């Protein structure tokens, strides 16, 4: 009885100590905000997402409904993904489609749009995974009247720097990838919280090939899909994670994102590229550094193809706030004058 009481107390302690974090978004922003706010927990490892909290998530599929890679919505016409996902010349023969507006692979929700053209980066090198980035042009535009669909933001170089993201930045990756190294894809979109790792770190420098255009991310202490779940008879559960948080096969091509507190928007920091297995404690995942490719992306999509968040947005926000404050003061002064004159 004594031990049962201690176990229950431990479960309650764990449950209370796992706090959820909600990322409140600027719903008026043209990018980087979805229908619902993102909520993550402090549990290390993958977890199911809040429905429609990642409106730019894309499932790339062949042969009707077979998911094989992830992607990110840039605009109504363009999807961002990894080059290694779509560099097979025969892939067009497999009816390549982008599924958007859905979090579940087996649901028929959302939109399915055929890919019309693939743009591989001209310096894509499969042997080292350098320049692992590609753009997909869709046959018809995405319908943004669907509130579950949104587009991602890009970081302004002047604001965030060419080497964005900074080391130790908190980042979130999403995907339908394997939840165990030898498992199957997840039917439900999952998210995992990671941290940008120094390229000199042993977990990184064993795998990375080019620190200028690639970076590492991972978190010590727990792994996606390697959780052992414990539940008491009241159905309160907690998880103990056993390795390294990571992305895995099937997550490739999906976004790694940074939440800007200043703008209250999500910015794309990287594309899931490769790693040495999944969830290994001595190897981090490698990601394509998006900040190095903004000019190339814009050369294909046009200026309307991406939305950049940075200094101009700050100036615009300051101007907007100044105008609102001025209007408020004028109204207040007018009402005060009217009240004075009526006495």
């Amino acid at each position: 009885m004594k031990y049962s009481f201690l176990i229950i107390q431990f479960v309650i302690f764990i449950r209370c100590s796992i706090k959820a974090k909600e990322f409140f978004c600027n719903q008026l922003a043209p990018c980087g905000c979805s229908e619902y706010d993102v909520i993550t927990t402090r549990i290390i490892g993958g977890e199911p997402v809040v429905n429609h909290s990642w409106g730019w998530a894309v499932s790339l599929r062949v042969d009707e409904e077979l998911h094989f890679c992830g992607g990110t919505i840039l605009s109504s016409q363009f999807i961002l993904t990894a080059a290694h996902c779509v560099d097979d010349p025969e892939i067009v023969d497999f009816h390549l489609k982008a599924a958007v507006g859905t979090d579940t692979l087996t649901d028929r929700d959302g939109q399915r749009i055929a890919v019309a053209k693939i743009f591989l980066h001209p310096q894509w090198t499969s042997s080292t995974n350098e320049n692992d980035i590609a753009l997909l042009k869709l046959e018809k535009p995405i319908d943004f009247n669907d509130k579950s669909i949104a587009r991602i933001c890009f970081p302004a170089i002047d604001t965030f720097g060419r080497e964005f993201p900074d080391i130790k930045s908190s980042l979130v990756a999403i995907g339908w990838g394997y939840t165990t190294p030898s498992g199957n894809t997840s039917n439900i979109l999952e998210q995992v919280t990671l941290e940008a790792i120094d390229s000199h770190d042993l977990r990184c420098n064993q795998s990375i090939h080019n620190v200028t255009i690639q970076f590492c991310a991972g978190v010590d202490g727990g792994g996606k899909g390697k959780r052992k779940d414990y539940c008491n008879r009241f159905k309160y559960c907690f998880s103990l994670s056993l390795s390294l948080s990571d992305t895995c096969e099937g997550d490739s091509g999906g976004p790694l994102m940074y939440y800007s507190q200043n703008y209250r928007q999500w910015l794309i920091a990287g594309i899931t590229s490769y790693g040495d297995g999944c969830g290994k404690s001595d190897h981090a995942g490698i990601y394509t550094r998006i900040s190095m490719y903004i000019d190339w992306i814009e050369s294909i999509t046009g200026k309307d193809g991406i939305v950049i968040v940075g200094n101009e947005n700050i100036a615009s926000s300051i101007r907007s706030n100044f105008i609102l404050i001025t209007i408020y003061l004028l109204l207040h002064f007018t009402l005060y004058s009217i009240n004075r004159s009526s006495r």
Side-chain angles (χ1 to χ4, degrees):
M1 187 72 180
K2 176 182 177 182
Y3 293 111
S4 297
F5 175 77
L6 289 174
I7 291 171
I8 292 173
Q9 289 291 98
F10 178 65
V11 168
I12 293 173
F13 168 76
I14 293 291
R15 182 173 178 266
C16 293
S17 65
I18 296 171
K19 297 180 181 178
K21 181 177 181 180
E22 185 168 1
F23 296 85
F24 296 101
C25 219
N26 175 9
Q27 295 297 332
L28 299 177
C31 63
C33 288
S34 301
E35 184 178 12
Y36 296 103
D37 288 334
V38 172
I39 298 176
T40 63
T41 71
R42 291 186 180 179
I43 299 174
I44 298 174
E47 58 184 346
V49 307
V50 173
N51 282 343
H52 305 309
S53 57
W54 301 108
W56 42 85
V58 178
S59 167
L60 296 182
R61 305 182 183 186
V62 291
D63 291 333
E64 297 302 328
E65 291 299 314
L66 181 62
H67 169 86
F68 71 98
C69 266
T72 308
I73 296 174
L74 303 188
S75 68
S76 62
Q77 289 274 195
F78 285 95
I79 303 296
L80 181 71
T81 189
H84 78 263
C85 287
V86 290
D87 65 349
D88 185 344
E90 296 181 359
I91 196 168
V92 293
D93 298 330
F94 292 93
H95 310 291
L96 177 60
K97 290 185 179 180
V100 300
T102 182
D103 293 331
T104 308
L105 295 182
T106 53
D107 282 352
R108 299 298 302 176
D109 297 342
Q111 303 170 40
R112 311 287 193 276
I113 305 175
V115 173
K117 190 171 183 179
I118 299 171
F119 298 87
L120 295 175
H121 192 278
Q123 293 176 297
W124 153 238
T125 306
S126 59
S127 59
T128 60
N129 288 289
E130 291 174 279
N131 303 297
D132 192 7
I133 183 170
L135 292 168
L136 309 179
K137 187 173 184 180
L138 303 177
E139 279 192 357
K140 64 177 184 179
I142 297 170
D143 182 4
F144 280 108
N145 289 320
D146 182 343
K147 299 300 182 184
S148 66
I149 297 175
R151 60 195 298 196
I152 192 64
C153 301
F154 281 75
I157 301 304
D158 292 344
T159 304
F160 295 96
R162 182 69 69 176
E163 295 184 358
F164 176 79
D166 294 335
I167 296 168
K168 295 191 177 298
S169 292
S170 180
L171 307 164
V172 178
I174 56 174
W176 290 271
Y178 288 13
T179 53
T180 60
S182 58
N184 298 312
T185 54
S186 169
N187 185 48
I188 299 172
L189 184 64
E190 290 209 342
Q191 63 194 21
V192 61
T193 302
L194 306 173
E195 182 179 273
I197 295 174
D198 192 318
S199 60
H200 296 100
D201 190 301
L202 287 176
R203 293 166 295 161
C204 182
N205 65 18
Q206 298 176 72
S207 304
I208 199 165
H209 294 285
N210 189 326
V211 299
T212 301
I213 58 177
Q214 298 170 329
F215 68 95
C216 298
V219 175
D220 283 328
K224 179 178 175 183
K226 292 201 171 185
R227 300 193 304 263
K228 189 172 183 180
D229 295 317
Y230 296 83
C231 301
N232 66 7
R233 65 194 189 93
F234 300 106
K235 303 302 181 185
Y236 291 149
C237 303
F238 62 96
S239 300
L240 296 182
S241 301
L242 305 175
S243 61
L244 178 81
S245 291
D246 200 2
T247 45
C248 203
E249 187 172 345
D251 293 322
S252 288
L256 181 64
M257 299 155 292
Y258 171 82
Y259 177 74
S260 170
Q261 295 281 359
N262 291 335
Y263 301 105
R264 292 190 294 126
Q265 291 166 270
W266 288 93
L267 316 178
I268 186 164
I271 300 172
T272 302
S273 183
Y274 71 99
D276 185 358
C278 303
K280 289 186 176 181
S281 60
D282 56 345
H283 287 84
I286 313 297
Y287 299 82
T288 302
R289 195 187 300 274
I290 284 295
S291 59
M292 301 302 295
Y293 297 95
I294 294 176
D295 291 342
W296 176 76
I297 293 170
E298 196 173 71
S299 72
I300 295 170
T301 65
K303 290 189 179 296
D304 295 334
I306 61 175
V307 181
I308 296 176
V309 170
N311 288 330
E312 292 181 2
N313 298 69
I314 291 179
S316 176
S317 178
I318 292 172
R319 284 195 298 271
S320 298
N321 290 335
F322 178 76
I323 291 170
L324 288 173
I325 292 171
T326 302
I327 292 171
Y328 172 79
L329 291 174
L330 286 172
L331 287 172
H332 185 76
F333 178 76
T334 302
L335 290 172
Y336 176 77
S337 300
I338 292 171
N339 289 334
R340 287 282 306 265
S341 61
S342 63
R343 288 178 182 174

